[in-house]
Amino acid sequence: MPPLSLILVALTAIVAMSAVPVLVKSTAANEVTIGIARLVIAAGVVSILVAVSPARLRAIRAHQWRQLAVIGAVFAVHWLTYFASIKMATAVIAATAIATYGVQYLLLAWWFNREPVRGAEWLAMLACLGGCAVMVPSLSLSDSVTAGIVVGLVSGFLYACLPLLHQRAAALSNLQRTWGQFSFALLCFLPLWPLADWSLSNTDYLQLLTLGLLCTVVAHGLWVKASTELPPVFTGIIYYVYIPLAMISSSVFLDEAITARKLLGAGMIIGASTLVTLYRWQRSRA
């Protein structure tokens, strides 16, 4: 059993992250603007922490710089697709689509670690896809909600890559990896600067500040630590708290209706993902 303090770190990170869908959906800023703003704030704050002990950067070896660059690039595309999914669909549906990362991780484990995918795990993947299908109004990419779910699934796949990438770079400290993730992601976003729109209201800028400090510096910093040090079974299950929290906040702040179809779809995804996570954990112990 991992330390209770580490589980609390993961839960705190998820509670902070759950504000993201509502803030992204409600702000007038577009996906590129949100990404650049969050990363400038996050990379700036973490760079200050790193600057206190510059030897941490000098100690990074060449292959570890490459690992950080890959982590940052994957993180950047994950964010861009996630923000697009929220804007195209709804906050709840986008949050639910990305939650399929738990079963998508199975494909990554098979690809990178040659872990076999059993029948029960294939059923869990189908159940997650079925949960997404339940929520879409029509099976056509011309519908923005359907397109948003597809983009959310891509974002979820990239999100599933991140714990594996961080674990392979575990020789670096949490601060080094967090700094690398934000800094290299910012470098990936900067070429998109011409697409950003900074003609925003004070409320929009306050929302961007909240996204940068609370939902990025605090939440992702804590999640990097938790997802690296906790067994996957714990981070997998803890992450699904994200969906009901996003549903509640979307209902309160965005007046987004919690329909029976949304509850059914979310329930299928959470249930299948949780059961397959427990199944793999039990199988590994056996």
Side-chain angles (χ1 to χ4, degrees):
M1 182 73 179
L4 177 61
S5 60
L6 200 54
I7 295 177
L8 291 176
V9 165
L11 286 171
T12 302
I14 291 303
V15 171
M17 283 184 192
S18 67
V20 171
V22 171
L23 290 170
V24 170
K25 188 69 175 179
S26 59
T27 182
N30 63 24
E31 300 92 310
V32 175
T33 308
I34 295 169
I36 292 176
R38 290 183 72 180
L39 288 169
V40 165
I41 294 171
V45 171
V46 180
S47 293
I48 293 173
L49 298 177
V50 171
V52 175
S53 180
R56 287 176 174 150
L57 294 185
R58 291 197 295 269
I60 300 176
R61 299 178 180 179
H63 77 280
Q64 293 172 324
W65 280 110
R66 290 192 293 271
Q67 288 177 320
L68 292 177
V70 171
I71 289 173
V74 171
F75 184 68
V77 182
H78 153 63
W79 258 15
L80 189 61
T81 50
Y82 185 36
F83 300 157
S85 176
I86 294 172
K87 293 290 190 181
M88 296 165 68
T90 67
V92 170
I93 287 179
T96 305
I98 196 177
T100 60
Y101 94 97
V103 294
Q104 294 195 62
Y105 180 84
L106 300 175
L107 297 175
L108 292 172
W110 169 78
W111 178 259
F112 287 106
N113 300 334
R114 297 305 177 196
E115 296 181 22
V117 180
R118 308 296 175 87
E121 294 163 338
W122 285 113
L123 288 175
M125 290 185 212
L126 290 175
C128 283
L129 290 175
C132 290
V134 165
M135 292 187 294
V136 300
S138 64
L139 295 177
S140 171
L141 291 179
S142 61
D143 182 89
S144 62
V145 175
T146 303
I149 287 181
V150 173
V151 174
L153 291 173
V154 174
S155 182
F157 178 80
L158 295 169
Y159 193 62
C161 295
L162 288 172
L164 181 60
L165 293 173
H166 274 286
Q167 288 162 13
R168 289 176 180 243
L172 295 170
S173 69
N174 289 321
L175 183 60
Q176 288 171 320
R177 284 181 284 108
T178 302
W179 175 84
Q181 176 171 296
F182 292 150
S183 299
F184 280 104
L186 178 58
L187 290 178
C188 293
F189 262 92
L190 286 181
L192 302 176
W193 184 280
L195 301 176
D197 178 14
W198 302 102
S199 301
L200 304 170
S201 68
N202 291 335
T203 300
D204 292 319
Y205 279 111
L206 180 60
Q207 290 170 324
L208 291 177
L209 183 62
T210 303
L211 282 166
L213 291 177
L214 176 64
C215 304
T216 308
V217 175
V218 175
H220 281 276
L222 294 177
W223 189 250
V224 165
K225 176 178 177 62
S227 62
T228 302
E229 300 179 21
L230 277 175
V233 64
F234 286 91
T235 53
I237 293 175
I238 289 171
Y239 182 82
Y240 300 123
V241 177
Y242 183 90
I243 296 178
L245 288 176
M247 279 188 169
I248 293 170
S249 57
S250 297
S251 176
V252 172
F253 296 106
L254 299 178
D255 292 326
E256 186 175 335
I258 302 177
T259 65
R261 292 181 63 172
K262 287 180 182 177
L263 289 173
L264 176 59
M268 290 173 66
I269 292 171
I270 295 173
S273 300
T274 301
L275 288 175
V276 80
T277 301
L278 293 172
Y279 169 75
R280 286 177 64 83
W281 177 58
Q282 187 64 37
R283 198 177 73 192
S284 66
R285 292 184 64 190

